[in-house]
Amino acid sequence: MHLEVWPGKVYPLGSYWNGKGTNFALFSENATGVELCLFDKDGKEQRLTLTEVDNWVWHCYIPGVAPGQAYGYRVHGPYDPEQGHRFNPNKLLIDPYAKAIDGDVGNGPELFGYSWEDPDEDLSFSEGDSAHLVPKSVVIDETFDWEGDELLQIPFHESIIYEVHVKGFTQLHPDIPEELRGTYAGLAHPASISHLQSLGITAVELMPVHHFLAYPGHLADKGLKNYWGYDSINYFAPYFAYSSDKTPGNQVREFKEMVKALHKAGMEVILDVVYNHTGEGNQNGPTLSFRGIDNACYYQLSPEDRRYYMDFTGCGNTLNVGHPQILKLIMDSLRYWVTDMHVDGFRFDLASALARELFEVDSLASFFNIIHQDPTLADVKLIAEPWDVGEGGYQVGNFPLLWCEWNGKYRDTVRDFWRGEDQTLGEFAYRLTGSSDLYQTNGRSPYASINFITAHDGFTLSDLVSYNEKHNEANGEGNCDGESHNRSWNFGAEGDTDDPHILQLREQQKRNFLVTLMLSQGIPMIVYGDEMERTQKGNNNGYCQDNEISWVNWDFQEDKADLLDFTRQLIFFRRKHPVFRRRKWFQGRPIHGKTISDLGWYNPDGTEMTDEEWNVGYAKAVGMFLNGEEIPRVGPQGQRVMDESFLILFNAHWELIEFQLPTDFNDREWDVVIDTKEPHFIEPGSIVYTADKAVPVTGRSLVVLRRLS
C-alpha cells in the first residue's frame, strides 16, 4: 500500500489522529535511524523510514491513517551493552506514548536482544524477529462525551479509600453478566457500584492498570500470571485484558465510561502507578520498548559498568527520572490520566526510587519539584509508598508538602498492639492521633497519613488473624517469597478450624482492627474483600495468583454478612462524626475557653496518663477521650464545627479490665456505641454508664462510649 509521508511535528509524542491523518513522534537521543512499522488486519508489516528528526524526536505525518491502525517501531543504533546501548532493529518496539496496546506480550527467545544460547549472554546479538510476539500499539480516537464530568476533589480528610483489583473484585460476582466480569465495565456495573456505595467509601484505588507484562517467562513456565500488574511496559495505555470490548483501542473508551460511572456514584478513582521501573527487567530481560528505543536514556545504569542496571526496586531496573525526557514522559503520563481520563489521584509504587538523585533519596528531587509546581496536578491526590529496596529507602514521614503516604508504621504498630506486644502503647497513641511525630514538623496535616492494617501485599484481614506463617507454596518458589515477619496471630490454630472459641476471638480481633482503623485520625484504607472475610489461605504474596486465591468470593454466609454489616455501620459512623477526621492536629489543651482539653488519655483507674506511665513496657490498656466541642476547624461556610464527644477504651490484655470513668466526667452519662466482643453496633440507649459504675472491657477488645448531654 502506497502511503504519503509528510514531515509532521515533534509534538505531541506518540500517535495523534487529527481527523484527517495521524502524526507519529518518538524520542531517541542515541538512535541512528527509526522505522515506523504499520500492520494491517492480517498482521502484514509495512516499514517506513523516518527522515525527520528534531531535538532527538523522530517524527512524520501520514494522511489517511485512522483510529484502529496498529503500529510499532524498529530503532537502529549501536549494540554495545558495555556502553549502555542495546539497539536491535530486529525487535519490534511498543511506543512509550501509545494510548492503547492490543494484546499481551508473548514468550520466546525472539523477544530478547541477545541470543539465549550464546556463552556471551547479553553481550551477544540476536537476529530473531520479535514482531509476532509483541503486541501492537494502536492509534485511537480521543474524543469522548464526558457529559460534564469533572474531578470530584473530595477533601483529603473526608476520604475513605478502598484498594481494589479490577479483575479480582468482579470476576466471581453472580449479579454481573459473565462477559463483563473482571473488566472496567464490570467495575462500573450497578452491582459493583451498589456494593461500594453501601460501604460508604469515597475512592477506589485501582491496582495497576497501565499496560503491563502479564506473562513473564518465569511465571508462564509455571502456568502462572502477573496478576497484580506491577511490571508496566507503557504509562498511557489501560491494560487491554480488563476491557470487555476487545476492539483495538476501545479499552480507552471503556475505562472512561468506568470513571464516569464511579464519579456519578460519588467515588473518586485513584491509580496505583509504577513509574519506578518497567517490565523489561535487568540485562537479561526482554527488549520490548524502552530498552530498544534508548536504553542509556531510559534507565539508570551502573557508573562502574553500564552493561548493568541500578536496581532500587527489586525488579531488575530503575527508571532514569534524572533525565529530562524521562521526567517529561512521567509528567505527560500523569497529566494525560487527569485531563483525558479524569482520574482523581495517584498512588506511587516504591516512590522513594523516584526521589533518588544518583544514589541518595532526596525529598527535594527534580521529580517532586516539578510536580509541586504543576497546575494540572495541584488538585489531585498524591500518595507515596514511601520506601524502595535500596539503602536508605525507608522514608516514611519524609515526603514533601502535597503528599500523603502509606503509613507502614501505622500498620506495624496497630498489629503489634492488638497481638499484645510490649513497648507499643506510646507509639500506638501517636498512630491513633495522625502520627504527628512523622508529619507535623514539615507542615503537613493528619491526613498526610494513609492508615491501613492490610493491603494487596501481605495477609488479608481474615488471614492476619488465622495464620502465624505464610503459605505461599502455590507461587512455586518453595515458600521463600513474601514477607516472613507478618505480625500476625492465629489464636491457637493455623488456618481453618472448627474451634468456636478461636473463631469468636478471630472475629473479635477483626473488629478491633477495623474500629481502630476507622476511628484513627488520617485517611483510612481497606483492601478489597476484607469486609467479606476474603481469604488467600495464608498466601501473603498473591502477585501471581489470577484465580480464586485472589478473587473475591461473593458467596455470602452468615458470618460474612455480620462483618460486612459491621464494616458498613463503622464507615458511616466515621463519616457522621467530624471528631474522627480532623484537618488539624490535636493541641492537648482547651481551645474554645472550656476546661476540658480536645484530647485526653486515661489509665483504667480513671486517672490521667503521666509521662512515666507511657513508658511502662507491659501496659496494654488505655482510654482515649475525643472532645467534639473542641475541634479547631470551620465548615465550608466558616461555621464552627461541633460534634459529640467520645471515650474509647482499648484493652489488648488477655483478660477483662474494668475501666473507671475519668473524674472529669462525673456529671455525664455515657452510652455504649461499639463493643467489639459483639458482632454488631450496640442499640442506642441500651447500655448506659455513669461515674459510679465501671465499664467492663473484655480481654482483647475495645469499647466506644458516647457522652450524653
Side-chain angles (χ1 to χ4, degrees):
M1 180 176 62
H2 174 71
L3 294 172
E4 293 184 53
V5 181
W6 298 355
K9 298 180 179 180
V10 171
Y11 185 84
L13 290 168
S15 59
Y16 177 72
W17 178 65
N18 66 359
K20 298 180 180 179
T22 301
N23 193 84
F24 296 90
L26 177 76
F27 168 83
S28 181
E29 181 177 332
N30 294 294
T32 59
V34 172
E35 293 176 293
L36 171 65
C37 307
L38 303 180
F39 294 83
D40 64 19
K41 293 182 179 179
D42 296 323
K44 184 178 180 180
E45 178 181 356
Q46 182 175 5
R47 303 183 189 181
L48 303 171
T49 299
L50 302 188
T51 59
E52 297 291 331
V53 54
D54 297 282
N55 301 324
W56 293 319
V57 175
W58 305 72
H59 54 92
C60 73
Y61 177 87
I62 306 177
V65 168
Q69 175 65 59
Y71 71 99
Y73 289 102
R74 296 179 185 272
V75 181
H76 299 256
Y79 189 82
D80 188 357
E82 291 175 310
Q83 296 302 315
H85 300 306
R86 295 178 180 270
F87 295 101
N88 188 334
N90 298 302
K91 311 307 168 186
L92 186 75
L93 304 174
I94 297 166
D95 181 359
Y97 276 76
K99 304 299 195 305
I101 298 172
D102 184 26
D104 278 317
V105 176
N107 273 296
E110 298 92 339
L111 288 175
F112 296 78
Y114 62 94
S115 174
W116 281 4
E117 307 300 327
D118 197 296
D120 287 336
E121 298 181 320
D122 65 296
L123 296 179
S124 65
F125 185 81
S126 166
E127 296 183 354
D129 194 294
S130 66
H132 65 293
L133 296 174
V134 176
K136 309 308 181 282
S137 305
V138 180
V139 178
I140 68 165
D141 179 356
E142 298 187 23
T143 61
F144 181 76
D145 184 4
W146 281 102
E147 299 179 296
D149 178 80
E150 296 179 342
L151 303 189
L152 296 185
Q153 296 181 340
I154 295 171
F156 277 101
H157 67 285
E158 304 283 353
S159 297
I160 299 170
I161 297 174
Y162 189 82
E163 188 190 28
V164 63
H165 191 282
V166 170
K167 181 176 183 180
F169 183 68
T170 63
Q171 185 65 27
L172 298 177
H173 202 302
D175 297 330
I176 296 176
E178 189 170 351
E179 66 274 14
L180 300 184
R181 295 175 189 172
T183 69
Y184 304 122
L187 189 55
H189 189 274
S192 296
I193 288 179
S194 175
H195 178 80
L196 296 171
Q197 284 183 312
S198 75
L199 277 177
I201 60 103
T202 68
V204 291
E205 182 176 298
L206 304 184
M207 291 175 65
V209 297
H210 288 166
H211 202 97
F212 57 88
L213 184 61
Y215 295 98
H218 72 285
L219 291 180
D221 292 344
K222 301 174 187 176
L224 300 173
K225 179 184 178 182
N226 176 9
Y227 170 69
W228 285 353
Y230 288 94
D231 269 321
S232 301
I233 53 175
N234 177 277
Y235 296 118
F236 292 83
Y239 183 51
F240 91 105
Y242 293 159
S243 177
S244 64
D245 187 341
K246 301 306 180 185
T247 306
N250 276 13
Q251 61 263 48
V252 179
R253 182 173 299 276
E254 186 167 317
F255 184 92
K256 291 177 178 178
E257 292 286 2
M258 176 196 70
V259 172
K260 187 166 69 172
L262 288 165
H263 279 181
K264 188 175 181 180
M267 286 173 279
E268 294 182 314
V269 177
I270 298 170
L271 298 189
D272 193 337
V273 290
V274 191
Y275 294 116
N276 56 79
H277 76 280
T278 78
E280 291 185 304
N282 63 15
Q283 73 276 4
N284 296 317
T287 297
L288 305 173
S289 179
F290 310 96
R291 173 176 284 136
I293 293 170
D294 203 333
N295 183 68
C297 287
Y298 279 100
Y299 293 113
Q300 292 189 44
L301 304 179
S302 170
E304 287 81 22
D305 187 344
R306 292 176 65 77
R307 174 186 177 184
Y308 300 106
Y309 296 81
M310 301 300 296
D311 183 9
F312 299 113
T313 67
C315 299
N317 64 60
T318 303
L319 216 59
N320 185 17
V321 183
H323 190 290
Q325 189 63 38
I326 313 313
L327 186 58
K328 172 180 166 55
L329 168 75
I330 296 175
M331 295 304 298
D332 286 347
S333 169
L334 292 170
R335 285 189 286 260
Y336 172 76
W337 286 96
V338 173
T339 58
D340 285 54
M341 307 293 264
H342 284 210
V343 305
D344 302 271
F346 305 93
R347 178 265 187 189
F348 293 79
D349 177 69
L350 299 181
S352 291
L354 299 171
R356 288 188 180 271
E357 295 285 6
L358 297 179
F359 307 110
E360 300 295 328
V361 176
D362 179 3
S363 65
L364 298 179
S366 301
F367 176 72
F368 297 102
N369 287 339
I370 197 169
I371 280 187
H372 195 92
Q373 58 79 45
D374 190 282
T376 301
L377 303 177
D379 286 331
V380 305
K381 292 179 169 61
L382 302 172
I383 302 170
E385 182 184 37
W387 50 79
D388 65 19
V389 302
E391 184 177 353
Y394 192 75
Q395 293 290 317
V396 173
N398 292 332
F399 277 69
L401 293 171
L402 299 185
W403 287 79
C404 301
E405 300 176 17
W406 271 27
N407 190 343
K409 291 186 178 181
Y410 180 95
R411 172 200 59 206
D412 297 344
T413 299
V414 174
R415 287 187 179 192
D416 278 348
F417 174 80
W418 280 117
R419 68 192 184 110
E421 291 294 296
D422 290 344
Q423 305 291 342
T424 61
L425 196 57
E427 188 168 0
F428 182 64
Y430 269 123
R431 305 301 155 241
L432 287 173
T433 53
S435 296
S436 60
D437 58 327
L438 302 177
Y439 304 114
Q440 188 172 17
T441 56
N442 65 356
R444 289 190 285 172
S445 300
Y447 51 76
S449 179
I450 305 294
N451 300 328
F452 66 103
I453 309 295
T454 57
H456 69 273
D457 189 1
F459 282 145
T460 66
L461 182 63
S462 182
D463 290 354
L464 184 64
V465 302
S466 303
Y467 294 90
N468 284 350
E469 309 295 336
K470 63 184 179 182
H471 296 269
N472 298 355
E473 290 80 7
N475 296 354
E477 299 179 39
N479 203 35
C480 293
D481 61 305
E483 175 61 57
S484 296
H485 184 45
N486 293 284
R487 294 180 162 89
S488 60
W489 184 25
N490 66 15
F491 288 88
E494 188 75 353
D496 293 338
T497 180
D498 295 326
D499 187 314
H501 179 63
I502 292 176
L503 292 173
Q504 187 274 328
L505 286 175
R506 287 177 177 179
E507 293 303 311
Q508 184 171 301
Q509 188 80 318
K510 293 173 196 175
R511 294 190 289 271
N512 289 336
F513 282 131
L514 288 169
V515 175
T516 303
L517 176 65
M518 287 299 161
L519 302 191
S520 295
Q521 304 300 319
I523 300 175
M525 183 189 79
I526 60 176
V527 67
Y528 73 106
D530 268 0
E531 75 280 13
M532 295 178 286
E533 309 273 3
R534 184 171 74 89
T535 176
Q536 295 182 167
K537 299 299 182 182
N539 191 322
N540 73 351
N541 189 31
Y543 79 102
C544 57
Q545 299 298 328
D546 187 10
N547 50 49
E548 287 84 353
I549 290 176
S550 299
W551 301 340
V552 172
N553 179 3
W554 294 86
D555 181 19
F556 279 96
Q557 305 298 326
E558 185 176 352
D559 57 343
K560 276 190 180 182
D562 282 346
L563 187 64
L564 175 58
D565 183 63
F566 183 86
T567 305
R568 286 168 171 162
Q569 288 183 275
L570 179 61
I571 292 175
F572 280 100
F573 180 70
R574 175 187 172 88
R575 293 185 62 173
K576 179 181 178 181
H577 292 288
V579 74
F580 299 118
R581 41 185 173 80
R582 296 162 53 107
R583 289 193 297 115
K584 304 295 183 182
W585 297 105
F586 287 107
Q587 299 182 32
R589 59 177 176 78
I591 300 169
H592 296 105
K594 302 295 180 63
T595 59
I596 298 177
S597 174
D598 60 346
L599 174 69
W601 298 99
Y602 297 92
N603 291 300
D605 64 5
T607 60
E608 284 196 67
M609 292 280 292
T610 64
D611 291 343
E612 293 76 17
E613 286 167 331
W614 284 116
N615 297 317
V616 176
Y618 57 81
K620 297 177 179 63
V622 69
M624 175 187 182
F625 171 68
L626 300 172
N627 192 344
E629 298 177 8
E630 297 281 345
I631 301 176
R633 56 173 273 209
V634 295
Q637 298 179 348
Q639 73 275 26
R640 180 179 171 188
V641 174
M642 297 281 289
D643 194 10
E644 296 177 291
S645 296
F646 295 90
L647 184 62
I648 309 176
L649 308 178
F650 298 92
N651 179 18
H653 280 287
W654 63 87
E655 57 187 12
L656 181 146
I657 293 179
E658 291 195 338
F659 280 75
Q660 299 295 325
L661 292 173
T663 55
D664 291 337
F665 312 131
N666 280 343
D667 58 339
R668 301 296 183 99
E669 294 182 328
W670 295 85
D671 184 26
V672 177
V673 180
I674 301 170
D675 185 338
T676 56
K677 77 175 188 294
E678 303 295 338
H680 302 288
F681 271 50
I682 306 301
E683 188 71 23
S686 61
I687 305 176
V688 177
Y689 289 96
T690 55
D692 59 346
K693 188 177 180 183
V695 182
V697 181
T698 302
R700 301 189 180 98
S701 73
L702 67 85
V703 171
V704 179
L705 302 165
R706 178 177 58 237
R707 187 170 66 182
L708 300 176
S709 57

